[in-house]
Amino acid sequence: MSGFLHQRPLHSVLSDPYSLSPRSPTNYQKPTTMLSRTTFLLLLILLVLLGVIFPWISIPQGLFSTNSKLSDSKWKDYTLSEAVANVAQNGTVIVCAVSQPYLPFLNNWLISIVRQKHQEKVLVIAEDYATLYKVNEKWPGHAVLVPPAPDAQTAHKFGSQGFFNFTSRRPRHLLQILELGYNVMYNDVDMVWLADPFPYLQGEHDVYFTDDMAAVKPLKHTHNLPPPGKKGRTYICSCMIYLRPTSGAKLVMKKWIEELQAQPWSKAKKANDQPAFNWALNKTAGQVDLYLLPQAAFPTGGLYFKNQTWVQETKGMHVIIHNNYITGFEKKIKRFHDFGLWLVDDHASESPLGRL
């Protein structure tokens, strides 16, 4: 990326203000190259004049730009505690974790959040330096990288070890934010907000979450943790979580980390973070105040995109739509297109990042 190119600062050319003066014989030297310093200065002035008189003429980037390494270095040293303090509002922050391939989804998600007026509390946890620099270039202070960064080439491939490394970092980030004393909402960026979710975060529970099962629930279903499924655990989604900075929420995050360590990725068992999250919930359920969010407001993709009868019956109740139960960038984008939820093409100007 161009930000890593070194550019020689122009002040070195003019470090001796007398070296260009024809009236200073002691400093005068006969030019030894075809382009003397005087000629070079005149060319620079000419380029500036051309840019003013003929604005359509493109002046090469780098001649006058400051060294972008300085700004990159600033964000490289930006810490999670600094970032959260910078973006949090009313003690709350909304976070996502993004690698470079998912930037279009990040932009789509952000547009939907802007429409609900919650974008200023968004913090992007960048999982590679390209994402860190790009987001902060467009939206200063709203991205942070918690080192070490995973391999940017593999972190976005579902089922790979890189994907496991990417998702397994999530509870550590969330725990650190809780330890700082903030409420935190986590979203995957293959989501779209249709309404404000915060009115649904009722009461003072420790952990709020959504069911990943596509089976239709009664509209007034219980908010307790569902019973375990065939694998002996629940099927709660780890992609939409809201946590309060309580001892109970911290306990779940610590248990999630332990479960991930106990179930590492292998070629035979291509794990991800969600089973470990469910085991953490199941094993701490008696000690933690858990709250299942209403299915009509927070449906899984396996329900919203595949059961149009249910969608019509619950029309007007939907809050956050998750584009899961499908893999692959192009397939996800097409599905969003088909349902009128791919906002980037026509509404990029609404995003804090603009058109990427």
Side-chain angles (χ1 to χ4, degrees), residues 4-217:
F4 293 104
L5 297 178
H6 174 72
Q7 299 168 7
R8 184 184 300 277
L10 290 178
H11 65 76
S12 62
V13 176
L14 304 178
S15 58
D16 183 356
Y18 301 101
S19 63
L20 302 181
S21 172
R23 298 182 183 180
S24 180
T26 58
N27 289 332
Y28 175 77
Q29 291 182 353
K30 185 177 180 179
T32 58
T33 66
M34 293 181 64
L35 188 65
S36 68
R37 291 185 177 182
T38 303
T39 305
F40 180 64
L41 180 60
L42 291 174
L43 285 173
L44 291 180
I45 295 171
L46 179 60
L47 285 171
V48 172
L49 291 174
L50 285 172
V52 173
I53 301 173
F54 306 105
W56 59 84
I57 295 178
S58 175
I59 298 176
Q61 293 183 0
L63 281 176
F64 305 105
S65 62
T66 57
N67 194 332
S68 61
K69 277 188 176 181
L70 295 176
S71 59
D72 286 355
S73 175
K74 171 185 176 181
W75 299 123
K76 190 173 182 180
D77 297 332
Y78 194 42
T79 66
L80 183 60
S81 60
E82 291 173 331
V84 171
N86 184 46
V87 306
Q89 294 190 347
N90 298 320
T92 300
V93 61
I94 303 167
V95 303
C96 62
V98 181
S99 59
Q100 190 176 27
Y102 268 96
L103 283 176
F105 286 91
L106 170 64
N107 226 11
N108 197 67
W109 176 72
L110 280 174
I111 293 168
S112 72
I113 293 179
V114 167
R115 293 177 176 183
Q116 305 305 323
K117 298 179 172 55
H118 284 292
Q119 73 277 10
E120 290 307 320
K121 60 171 71 75
V122 169
L123 177 62
V124 177
I125 298 181
E127 296 292 359
D128 54 59
Y129 286 102
T131 299
L132 174 71
Y133 300 147
K134 175 58 68 176
V135 173
N136 281 331
E137 173 193 341
K138 300 276 190 174
W139 199 22
H142 282 268
V144 66
L145 187 146
V146 182
D151 181 357
Q153 297 301 313
T154 59
H156 64 280
K157 295 179 181 178
F158 184 82
S160 68
Q161 185 172 9
F163 184 85
F164 176 80
N165 293 341
F166 175 90
T167 58
S168 64
R169 289 159 56 87
R170 185 182 313 171
R172 296 183 183 277
H173 301 330
L174 297 177
L175 177 58
Q176 187 173 349
I177 295 170
L178 293 176
E179 295 287 6
L180 292 169
Y182 295 90
N183 304 311
V184 54
M185 175 186 284
Y186 175 83
N187 277 191
D188 272 3
V189 292
D190 59 345
M191 292 183 168
V192 169
W193 289 25
L194 300 182
D196 186 347
F198 284 92
Y200 293 83
L201 306 174
Q202 303 170 1
E204 295 293 330
H205 307 288
D206 297 321
V207 184
Y208 300 70
F209 46 80
T210 64
D211 199 340
D212 210 17
M213 297 296 287
V216 175
K217 299 179 184 294

